[in-house]
């Protein structure tokens, strides 16, 4: 079974600072890893999917890295903005493509 | 941009009643999923569906749950006899395969 842990559970940063969100997973036999954003009471928005053959994937101010051997992924958000305030979820696949989710990193960007 | 849609957005039901949650996946996707999120907890996998049959299910997905793709566009989750502990946000997702795209969710409240 895949267990996903995200640290820190919550963080507040002033606007403009870079954010570093960490995710660890127990089963390193993954073929990809997905990062999502969730706003309060809302659905999950896919941010990035990083393949196991990649070490990094970038989309705008977002950059995700993946180190399968150590069971870790990191999401970097450059120059944070108040609109980045949300919960960020990491999800690793196991079995036949089911996703195991972490509990999330709850981010508040202070203007 | 294509998206996954879900109806209703909120469903309130009495314990013991049957509910059907509806989803319209992205049109050219082949894999369909249901997940749920109990308030304050992780997103949990329920079931995946491919080629008109269940490909994988979790221990949560017992005989009270069923899924169906009644036509070429809809994907439904039925709970036969709801319990208080079924209260949660239910998310539908679809993939091509690859990235899983999530709908906005149905909030199910069982009284």
């Amino acid at each position: 079974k895949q267990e996903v842990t995200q640290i820190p559970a919550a963080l507040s940063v002033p606007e403009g600072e870079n954010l570093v969100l960490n995710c660890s997973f127990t089963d390193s036999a993954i073929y990809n890893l997905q990062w999502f954003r969730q706003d309060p009471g809302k659905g999950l928005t896919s941010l990035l999917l990083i393949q196991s053959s990649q070490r990094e994937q970038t989309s705008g101010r977002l950059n995700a890295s993946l180190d399968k051997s150590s069971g870790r992924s990191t999401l970097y958000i450059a120059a944070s903005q108040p609109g980045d305030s949300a919960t960020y979820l990491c999800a690793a696949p196991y079995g036949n493509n089911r996703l195991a989710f972490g509990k999330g990193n709850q981010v508040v960007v202070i203007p | 941009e294509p998206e996954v849609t879900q109806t209703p957005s909120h469903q309130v039901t009495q314990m013991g009643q049957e509910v059907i949650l509806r989803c319209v996946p992205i049109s050219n996707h082949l894999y369909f999923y249901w997940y749920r999120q109990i308030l304050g907890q992780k997103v949990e996998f329920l079931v995946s569906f491919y080629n008109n049959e269940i490909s994988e299910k979790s221990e949560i997905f017992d005989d009270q749950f069923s899924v169906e793709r009644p036509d070429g566009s809809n994907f439904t989750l039925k709970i036969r006899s709801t319990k208080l502990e079924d209260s949660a946000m239910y998310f539908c997702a679809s993939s091509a395969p690859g990235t899983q795209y999530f709908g906005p969710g149905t909030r199910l409240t069982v009284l």
Side-chain angles (χ1 to χ4, degrees):
Chain A
K1 191 182 175 183
Q2 180 75 273
E3 295 288 341
V4 178
T5 305
Q6 292 187 246
I7 296 171
L11 69 161
S12 296
V13 298
E15 182 177 358
E17 260 197 26
N18 297 331
L19 281 161
V20 180
L21 308 178
N22 296 301
C23 167
S24 61
F25 46 92
T26 52
D27 183 355
S28 60
I30 61 170
Y31 42 89
N32 61 41
L33 184 137
Q34 224 172 321
W35 281 92
F36 294 87
R37 169 183 171 139
Q38 185 175 32
D39 292 287
K42 305 288 186 184
L44 281 66
T45 301
S46 179
L47 296 173
L48 287 166
L49 179 138
I50 180 166
Q51 301 286 357
S52 60
S53 57
Q54 299 174 294
R55 291 192 66 85
E56 286 188 9
Q57 179 72 274
T58 298
S59 175
R61 292 185 295 112
L62 277 57
N63 174 277
S65 67
L66 176 62
D67 183 345
K68 274 184 57 174
S69 60
S70 67
R72 290 182 192 171
S73 177
T74 301
L75 179 68
Y76 301 89
I77 303 177
S80 60
Q81 302 169 0
D84 295 329
S85 298
T87 297
Y88 293 83
L89 302 176
C90 168
Y94 69 110
N96 256 352
N97 215 23
R98 58 165 80 176
L99 291 178
F101 283 82
K103 213 167 176 190
N105 307 106
Q106 187 176 9
V107 171
V108 174
V109 179
I110 304 162
Chain B
E1 186 175 321
E3 56 183 20
V4 177
T5 59
Q6 291 186 243
T7 54
S9 56
H10 193 181
Q11 172 106 39
V12 180
T13 190
Q14 296 290 325
M15 193 168 57
Q17 294 297 302
E18 174 183 288
V19 294
I20 297 176
L21 310 183
R22 292 183 166 79
C23 168
V24 179
I26 294 172
S27 63
N28 61 345
H29 282 185
L30 301 176
Y31 297 80
F32 314 113
Y33 313 85
W34 284 100
Y35 293 82
R36 79 174 186 190
Q37 185 178 33
I38 294 170
L39 191 64
Q41 298 189 22
K42 291 182 178 184
V43 176
E44 302 173 288
F45 169 81
L46 292 178
V47 66
S48 58
F49 193 85
Y50 170 71
N51 203 23
N52 284 321
E53 59 183 27
I54 290 174
S55 55
E56 200 168 19
K57 59 184 180 179
S58 72
E59 54 279 0
I60 303 168
F61 194 88
D62 62 20
D63 291 346
Q64 292 301 308
F65 291 87
S66 63
V67 289
E68 197 177 33
R69 188 156 162 82
D71 53 43
S73 59
N74 291 283
F75 181 51
T76 61
L77 174 70
K78 183 194 293 186
I79 309 175
R80 272 183 254 287
S81 177
T82 50
K83 304 172 190 151
L84 294 176
E85 55 265 35
D86 293 328
S87 294
M89 184 78 104
Y90 287 79
F91 294 110
C92 173
S94 69
S95 66
T99 302
Q100 290 189 25
Y101 294 92
F102 281 67
T106 293
R107 180 168 299 284
L108 177 65
T109 303
V110 183
L111 302 176

